[in-house]
Coordinates of all heavy atoms in Angstrom, one line a residue:
M899 N -144.0 -90.1 164.4 CA -144.1 -88.7 164.2 C -145.5 -88.3 163.6 O -145.9 -88.9 162.7 CB -142.9 -88.2 163.3 CG -143.0 -86.7 163.1 SD -141.8 -86.1 161.8 CE -140.6 -85.5 162.9
L900 N -146.0 -87.3 164.1 CA -147.3 -86.8 163.8 C -147.2 -85.9 162.5 O -146.4 -84.9 162.5 CB -148.0 -86.0 164.9 CG -149.4 -85.6 164.7 CD1 -150.3 -86.8 164.4 CD2 -149.9 -84.8 165.9
N901 N -147.9 -86.2 161.4 CA -147.8 -85.5 160.2 C -149.1 -84.6 160.1 O -150.2 -85.1 159.8 CB -147.6 -86.4 159.0 CG -147.4 -85.6 157.7 OD1 -147.2 -84.4 157.7 ND2 -147.4 -86.4 156.6
I902 N -148.9 -83.3 160.3 CA -150.1 -82.4 160.2 C -149.9 -81.5 159.0 O -148.9 -80.9 158.8 CB -150.2 -81.5 161.5 CG1 -150.3 -82.4 162.7 CG2 -151.4 -80.5 161.3 CD1 -150.3 -81.6 164.0
T903 N -151.0 -81.5 158.1 CA -151.0 -80.7 157.0 C -152.0 -79.5 157.2 O -153.0 -79.7 157.7 CB -151.4 -81.4 155.7 OG1 -152.7 -82.0 155.9 CG2 -150.4 -82.5 155.4
P904 N -151.5 -78.3 156.8 CA -152.4 -77.2 157.0 C -153.7 -77.3 156.1 O -153.5 -77.9 155.1 CB -151.6 -75.9 156.7 CG -150.5 -76.5 155.9 CD -150.3 -77.9 156.2
P905 N -154.8 -76.6 156.4 CA -156.0 -76.6 155.6 C -155.6 -75.9 154.2 O -154.7 -75.0 154.2 CB -157.0 -75.9 156.3 CG -156.3 -75.1 157.3 CD -155.0 -75.8 157.6
P906 N -156.3 -76.1 153.2 CA -156.1 -75.4 152.0 C -156.4 -73.9 152.1 O -157.2 -73.6 153.0 CB -157.0 -76.1 150.9 CG -157.8 -77.1 151.7 CD -157.3 -77.2 153.1
A907 N -155.8 -73.1 151.3 CA -155.9 -71.7 151.4 C -157.4 -71.3 151.2 O -157.8 -70.3 151.7 CB -155.1 -70.9 150.4
S908 N -158.2 -72.1 150.5 CA -159.5 -71.7 150.2 C -160.5 -71.8 151.4 O -161.5 -71.2 151.5 CB -160.1 -72.5 149.0 OG -160.1 -73.9 149.5
V909 N -160.0 -72.6 152.4 CA -160.8 -72.8 153.7 C -160.4 -71.6 154.5 O -159.2 -71.5 154.9 CB -160.4 -74.1 154.3 CG1 -161.1 -74.2 155.7 CG2 -160.8 -75.3 153.4
G910 N -161.4 -70.8 154.9 CA -161.1 -69.6 155.8 C -160.8 -70.0 157.2 O -161.2 -71.1 157.7
Q911 N -160.1 -69.1 158.0 CA -159.8 -69.4 159.2 C -161.0 -68.8 160.1 O -161.6 -67.8 159.7 CB -158.5 -68.7 159.7 CG -157.3 -69.2 159.0 CD -157.1 -70.7 159.3 OE1 -157.1 -71.0 160.5 NE2 -156.8 -71.5 158.4
F912 N -161.2 -69.3 161.3 CA -162.3 -68.9 162.1 C -161.7 -68.4 163.4 O -160.7 -68.9 163.9 CB -163.3 -70.0 162.4 CG -164.1 -70.3 161.2 CD1 -163.7 -71.4 160.4 CD2 -165.1 -69.5 160.8 CE1 -164.4 -71.7 159.2 CE2 -165.8 -69.8 159.6 CZ -165.5 -71.0 158.8
L913 N -162.3 -67.3 164.0 CA -161.8 -66.7 165.3 C -162.8 -66.9 166.4 O -164.1 -66.8 166.1 CB -161.6 -65.2 165.0 CG -160.7 -64.8 163.9 CD1 -160.7 -63.4 163.6 CD2 -159.2 -65.3 164.1
T914 N -162.3 -67.1 167.6 CA -163.1 -67.1 168.7 C -163.5 -65.7 169.1 O -162.9 -64.8 168.7 CB -162.4 -67.8 169.8 OG1 -161.3 -67.0 170.3 CG2 -162.0 -69.2 169.6
A915 N -164.5 -65.5 170.1 CA -164.8 -64.2 170.6 C -163.6 -63.6 171.2 O -163.4 -62.3 171.1 CB -166.0 -64.3 171.6
T916 N -162.8 -64.4 171.9 CA -161.6 -63.8 172.6 C -160.7 -63.2 171.6 O -160.1 -62.2 171.7 CB -161.0 -64.9 173.5 OG1 -161.9 -65.3 174.5 CG2 -159.7 -64.3 174.2
E917 N -160.4 -64.0 170.5 CA -159.5 -63.6 169.4 C -160.0 -62.3 168.8 O -159.3 -61.4 168.4 CB -159.3 -64.6 168.4 CG -158.5 -65.8 169.0 CD -158.6 -67.0 168.0 OE1 -159.6 -67.3 167.4 OE2 -157.5 -67.8 168.1
V918 N -161.4 -62.2 168.5 CA -161.9 -61.0 167.9 C -161.8 -59.8 168.8 O -161.4 -58.7 168.4 CB -163.5 -61.3 167.5 CG1 -164.1 -60.0 167.0 CG2 -163.5 -62.4 166.5
T919 N -162.1 -60.0 170.1 CA -162.0 -58.8 171.1 C -160.5 -58.4 171.2 O -160.3 -57.2 171.3 CB -162.5 -59.2 172.5 OG1 -161.8 -60.3 173.0 CG2 -164.0 -59.5 172.4
Q920 N -159.6 -59.3 171.0 CA -158.1 -58.9 171.0 C -157.9 -58.1 169.8 O -157.0 -57.1 169.9 CB -157.3 -60.1 171.2 CG -157.3 -60.8 172.5 CD -156.6 -62.1 172.6 OE1 -156.1 -62.6 171.5 NE2 -156.4 -62.7 173.8
R921 N -158.4 -58.5 168.7 CA -158.0 -57.8 167.4 C -158.7 -56.3 167.5 O -158.1 -55.4 166.9 CB -158.6 -58.5 166.2 CG -157.7 -59.6 165.9 CD -158.1 -60.2 164.6 NE -157.3 -61.4 164.3 CZ -157.1 -61.9 163.1 NH1 -157.6 -61.3 162.1 NH2 -156.3 -62.9 163.0
L922 N -159.9 -56.3 168.0 CA -160.6 -55.0 168.1 C -160.2 -54.2 169.3 O -160.4 -52.9 169.3 CB -162.1 -55.2 168.2 CG -162.8 -55.9 167.0 CD1 -164.3 -56.0 167.3 CD2 -162.5 -55.1 165.7
K923 N -159.5 -54.8 170.2 CA -159.1 -54.1 171.5 C -160.3 -53.6 172.2 O -160.3 -52.4 172.7 CB -158.1 -53.0 171.3 CG -156.8 -53.6 170.7 CD -155.8 -52.5 170.4 CE -154.4 -52.9 169.9 NZ -154.4 -54.0 168.9
V924 N -161.3 -54.5 172.4 CA -162.5 -54.1 173.1 C -162.9 -55.3 174.0 O -162.4 -56.4 173.8 CB -163.8 -53.8 172.2 CG1 -163.4 -52.6 171.3 CG2 -164.1 -55.0 171.3
G925 N -163.8 -55.1 174.8 CA -164.4 -56.2 175.7 C -165.5 -56.9 174.9 O -166.0 -56.5 173.9
K926 N -165.9 -58.0 175.5 CA -167.0 -58.9 174.9 C -168.3 -58.1 174.8 O -169.0 -58.3 173.9 CB -167.1 -60.2 175.6 CG -166.1 -61.2 175.3 CD -166.3 -62.5 175.8 CE -165.2 -63.5 175.5 NZ -165.4 -64.8 176.1
S927 N -168.7 -57.3 175.8 CA -169.9 -56.6 175.8 C -169.9 -55.6 174.7 O -170.9 -55.4 174.0 CB -170.2 -55.9 177.1 OG -169.2 -55.0 177.5
T928 N -168.8 -55.0 174.5 CA -168.6 -54.0 173.4 C -168.7 -54.7 172.0 O -169.3 -54.2 171.1 CB -167.3 -53.2 173.5 OG1 -167.3 -52.5 174.8 CG2 -167.2 -52.2 172.3
L929 N -168.1 -55.9 171.9 CA -168.2 -56.7 170.7 C -169.6 -57.0 170.3 O -170.1 -56.7 169.2 CB -167.5 -57.9 170.9 CG -167.6 -59.0 169.7 CD1 -167.1 -58.5 168.4 CD2 -167.0 -60.3 170.1
Y930 N -170.4 -57.4 171.3 CA -171.8 -57.7 171.0 C -172.7 -56.4 170.8 O -173.6 -56.5 170.0 CB -172.4 -58.6 172.1 CG -171.8 -60.0 172.0 CD1 -170.9 -60.4 172.8 CD2 -172.3 -60.8 171.0 CE1 -170.3 -61.7 172.8 CE2 -171.7 -62.1 170.9 CZ -170.8 -62.6 171.7 OH -170.2 -63.8 171.6
R931 N -172.3 -55.4 171.3 CA -172.9 -54.1 171.0 C -172.6 -53.7 169.6 O -173.5 -53.1 168.9 CB -172.6 -53.0 172.0 CG -173.3 -51.7 171.9 CD -173.0 -50.7 173.0 NE -171.7 -50.6 173.5 CZ -171.2 -51.1 174.7 NH1 -172.0 -51.7 175.5 NH2 -169.9 -50.9 175.0
K932 N -171.4 -53.9 169.1 CA -171.1 -53.6 167.8 C -171.9 -54.4 166.7 O -172.2 -54.0 165.7 CB -169.5 -53.7 167.6 CG -168.7 -52.7 168.2 CD -167.2 -52.8 167.9 CE -166.4 -51.7 168.4 NZ -166.7 -50.4 168.0
I933 N -172.1 -55.7 167.2 CA -172.9 -56.6 166.3 C -174.3 -56.0 166.2 O -174.9 -55.9 165.2 CB -172.9 -58.0 166.9 CG1 -171.5 -58.6 166.7 CG2 -173.9 -58.8 166.2 CD1 -171.3 -59.8 167.5
R934 N -174.9 -55.5 167.3 CA -176.3 -55.1 167.4 C -176.4 -53.7 166.6 O -177.3 -53.5 166.0 CB -176.7 -54.8 168.8 CG -177.5 -56.0 169.4 CD -178.2 -55.7 170.7 NE -177.5 -54.7 171.5 CZ -176.6 -55.0 172.5 NH1 -176.2 -56.3 172.6 NH2 -176.1 -54.1 173.2
N935 N -175.5 -52.8 166.9 CA -175.7 -51.3 166.5 C -174.8 -50.9 165.4 O -175.1 -49.9 164.8 CB -175.4 -50.5 167.7 CG -176.4 -50.8 168.9 OD1 -177.5 -51.2 168.7 ND2 -175.9 -50.5 170.1
E936 N -173.6 -51.6 165.1 CA -172.7 -51.0 164.2 C -172.4 -51.8 163.0 O -171.4 -51.6 162.3 CB -171.4 -50.6 164.9 CG -171.6 -49.6 166.1 CD -170.3 -49.3 166.8 OE1 -169.2 -49.4 166.3 OE2 -170.4 -48.9 168.0
G937 N -173.2 -52.8 162.8 CA -173.0 -53.7 161.6 C -171.8 -54.6 161.6 O -171.5 -55.1 160.5
F938 N -171.3 -54.9 162.8 CA -170.2 -55.9 162.9 C -170.8 -57.2 162.5 O -171.9 -57.6 162.8 CB -169.6 -55.9 164.3 CG -168.3 -56.8 164.3 CD1 -167.2 -56.2 163.9 CD2 -168.3 -57.9 164.8 CE1 -165.9 -56.9 164.0 CE2 -167.2 -58.7 164.9 CZ -166.0 -58.2 164.4
P939 N -170.0 -58.1 161.7 CA -170.5 -59.4 161.4 C -170.9 -60.2 162.5 O -170.2 -60.3 163.5 CB -169.3 -60.0 160.7 CG -168.3 -58.9 160.3 CD -168.6 -57.8 161.3
K940 N -172.0 -60.9 162.3 CA -172.6 -61.9 163.3 C -171.7 -63.1 163.2 O -171.2 -63.5 162.2 CB -174.0 -62.2 163.0 CG -174.9 -61.1 163.2 CD -176.3 -61.5 163.1 CE -177.3 -60.2 163.3 NZ -178.6 -60.6 163.1
P941 N -171.6 -63.8 164.3 CA -170.8 -65.1 164.4 C -171.6 -66.2 163.7 O -172.8 -66.1 163.5 CB -170.7 -65.4 165.9 CG -171.9 -64.7 166.5 CD -172.1 -63.5 165.7
I942 N -170.8 -67.2 163.3 CA -171.4 -68.4 162.8 C -171.5 -69.4 163.9 O -170.6 -69.7 164.6 CB -170.4 -69.0 161.6 CG1 -170.2 -67.9 160.5 CG2 -170.9 -70.3 161.1 CD1 -169.0 -68.2 159.6
Q943 N -172.8 -69.9 164.0 CA -173.0 -70.9 165.1 C -172.5 -72.3 164.5 O -173.0 -72.8 163.6 CB -174.5 -71.0 165.4 CG -175.0 -69.8 166.2 CD -174.3 -69.7 167.5 OE1 -173.9 -68.6 167.9 NE2 -174.2 -70.7 168.4
M944 N -171.5 -72.8 165.2 CA -170.9 -74.0 164.8 C -171.4 -75.2 165.8 O -171.0 -76.4 165.5 CB -169.3 -74.0 164.8 CG -168.9 -73.0 163.9 SD -167.1 -73.1 163.7 CE -166.9 -72.5 162.0
G945 N -172.1 -74.9 166.7 CA -172.6 -75.9 167.7 C -173.5 -75.2 168.6 O -173.7 -74.0 168.6
L946 N -174.0 -75.9 169.6 CA -174.9 -75.4 170.6 C -174.2 -74.2 171.4 O -174.8 -73.2 171.6 CB -175.3 -76.5 171.6 CG -176.6 -76.2 172.4 CD1 -177.8 -75.8 171.5 CD2 -176.9 -77.4 173.2
R947 N -173.0 -74.4 171.7 CA -172.3 -73.4 172.5 C -170.9 -73.0 171.9 O -170.0 -72.6 172.5 CB -172.0 -73.9 173.9 CG -173.3 -74.1 174.7 CD -173.0 -74.6 176.1 NE -172.1 -73.5 176.7 CZ -171.9 -73.5 178.0 NH1 -172.3 -74.5 178.8 NH2 -171.1 -72.6 178.5
C948 N -170.9 -73.0 170.5 CA -169.7 -72.7 169.8 C -170.1 -71.7 168.6 O -170.8 -72.1 167.7 CB -169.1 -74.0 169.2 SG -167.6 -73.8 168.3
A949 N -169.5 -70.6 168.8 CA -169.7 -69.5 167.7 C -168.3 -69.1 167.3 O -167.5 -68.9 168.1 CB -170.5 -68.4 168.2
R950 N -168.2 -68.8 166.0 CA -166.9 -68.4 165.5 C -167.2 -67.3 164.5 O -168.2 -67.3 163.8 CB -166.1 -69.5 164.9 CG -165.7 -70.6 165.8 CD -164.6 -70.2 166.7 NE -164.1 -71.2 167.5 CZ -164.5 -71.6 168.7 NH1 -165.5 -70.9 169.3 NH2 -164.1 -72.5 169.4
W951 N -166.2 -66.4 164.3 CA -166.2 -65.4 163.3 C -165.3 -65.7 162.2 O -164.2 -66.2 162.4 CB -165.9 -64.0 163.8 CG -166.9 -63.4 164.6 CD1 -167.8 -62.4 164.2 CD2 -167.3 -63.6 165.9 NE1 -168.6 -62.1 165.2 CE2 -168.3 -62.7 166.3 CE3 -166.8 -64.5 167.0 CZ2 -168.9 -62.8 167.6 CZ3 -167.3 -64.5 168.2 CH2 -168.4 -63.6 168.5
S952 N -165.7 -65.5 160.9 CA -164.8 -65.6 159.8 C -163.7 -64.6 159.8 O -164.0 -63.4 160.0 CB -165.6 -65.5 158.5 OG -164.8 -65.1 157.4
E953 N -162.5 -64.9 159.7 CA -161.4 -64.0 159.8 C -161.5 -63.0 158.7 O -161.2 -61.8 158.8 CB -160.0 -64.8 159.7 CG -158.8 -63.9 159.8 CD -157.5 -64.6 159.9 OE1 -157.4 -65.8 159.3 OE2 -156.6 -64.2 160.5
E954 N -162.0 -63.5 157.5 CA -162.1 -62.6 156.4 C -163.2 -61.5 156.6 O -163.0 -60.4 156.3 CB -162.5 -63.4 155.1 CG -162.7 -62.5 153.9 CD -163.0 -63.4 152.6 OE1 -163.3 -64.6 152.8 OE2 -163.1 -62.8 151.6
S955 N -164.3 -61.9 157.2 CA -165.4 -60.9 157.5 C -164.9 -59.8 158.6 O -165.2 -58.7 158.4 CB -166.7 -61.5 157.9 OG -166.5 -62.2 159.1
V956 N -164.1 -60.3 159.6 CA -163.6 -59.4 160.5 C -162.6 -58.4 159.9 O -162.7 -57.2 160.1 CB -163.0 -60.1 161.7 CG1 -162.2 -59.2 162.7 CG2 -164.0 -60.9 162.4
S957 N -161.7 -59.0 159.1 CA -160.8 -58.1 158.4 C -161.4 -57.2 157.5 O -161.0 -55.9 157.4 CB -159.8 -58.9 157.6 OG -159.0 -59.8 158.5
N958 N -162.4 -57.5 156.7 CA -163.2 -56.7 155.8 C -163.9 -55.5 156.6 O -163.8 -54.4 156.2 CB -164.2 -57.4 155.0 CG -163.6 -58.3 154.0 OD1 -162.4 -58.2 153.6 ND2 -164.3 -59.3 153.5
W959 N -164.4 -55.8 157.7 CA -165.1 -54.8 158.5 C -164.1 -53.8 159.0 O -164.4 -52.6 159.0 CB -165.8 -55.5 159.7 CG -166.7 -54.5 160.5 CD1 -167.9 -54.2 160.3 CD2 -166.3 -53.9 161.7 NE1 -168.4 -53.3 161.2 CE2 -167.4 -53.1 162.1 CE3 -165.1 -53.8 162.4 CZ2 -167.3 -52.2 163.2 CZ3 -165.0 -53.0 163.5 CH2 -166.1 -52.2 163.9
L960 N -163.0 -54.3 159.5 CA -161.9 -53.4 160.0 C -161.4 -52.4 158.8 O -161.3 -51.3 159.1 CB -160.7 -54.2 160.5 CG -161.0 -54.8 161.9 CD1 -159.8 -55.7 162.3 CD2 -161.1 -53.7 163.0
E961 N -161.3 -52.9 157.7 CA -160.9 -52.1 156.5 C -162.0 -51.1 156.2 O -161.6 -50.0 155.9 CB -160.6 -53.0 155.3 CG -159.4 -53.8 155.3 CD -158.2 -52.8 155.5 OE1 -158.0 -51.9 154.8 OE2 -157.2 -53.2 156.3
E962 N -163.2 -51.5 156.2 CA -164.3 -50.5 156.0 C -164.3 -49.4 157.0 O -164.5 -48.3 156.7 CB -165.7 -51.2 156.1 CG -166.0 -52.1 154.9 CD -167.2 -53.0 155.2 OE1 -168.1 -52.6 156.1 OE2 -167.5 -53.9 154.4
Q963 N -164.0 -49.8 158.3 CA -164.0 -48.7 159.3 C -162.8 -47.8 159.1 O -162.9 -46.6 159.3 CB -163.8 -49.4 160.7 CG -165.0 -50.3 161.1 CD -166.3 -49.6 160.9 OE1 -166.6 -48.6 161.5 NE2 -167.2 -50.3 160.0
K964 N -161.6 -48.3 158.6 CA -160.5 -47.4 158.3 C -160.8 -46.5 157.2 O -160.5 -45.3 157.2 CB -159.3 -48.3 158.0 CG -158.7 -49.1 159.1 CD -157.5 -49.8 158.7 CE -157.0 -50.7 159.8 NZ -155.9 -51.6 159.3
E965 N -161.5 -47.0 156.2 CA -161.9 -46.2 155.1 C -162.9 -45.1 155.5 O -162.8 -43.9 155.0 CB -162.5 -47.0 154.0 CG -161.5 -47.9 153.2 CD -162.2 -48.9 152.3 OE1 -163.4 -48.7 152.0 OE2 -161.4 -49.7 151.8
K966 N -163.9 -45.4 156.3 CA -164.8 -44.3 156.9 C -164.1 -43.3 157.6 O -164.4 -42.1 157.6 CB -165.8 -45.0 157.8 CG -166.9 -45.8 157.0 CD -167.9 -46.5 158.0 CE -168.9 -47.4 157.3 NZ -169.8 -48.0 158.1
A967 N -163.1 -43.8 158.4 CA -162.4 -42.8 159.3 C -161.5 -41.8 158.4 O -161.3 -40.7 158.8 CB -161.5 -43.5 160.3
A968 N -161.0 -42.4 157.3 CA -160.2 -41.6 156.5 C -161.0 -40.6 155.6 O -160.4 -39.5 155.1 CB -159.3 -42.5 155.5
A969 N -162.2 -40.9 155.4 CA -163.1 -40.0 154.5 C -163.5 -38.7 155.3 O -163.4 -38.5 156.3 CB -164.4 -40.7 154.1

């Protein structure tokens, strides 16, 4: 039997571009436009062709946008 333990809570989760676009409900071109023009967090390069976003940074950005909309 395979025994898998989850990572400690201090280790953040990382999201793929597809996961980020699903959360934002936008396409990939809009995601990269938001990075260029709207201050969306840049991805972390984890390899030559591997980029991920910190789940925490995406959640924080979404909260900031909600606060701006409410003001």
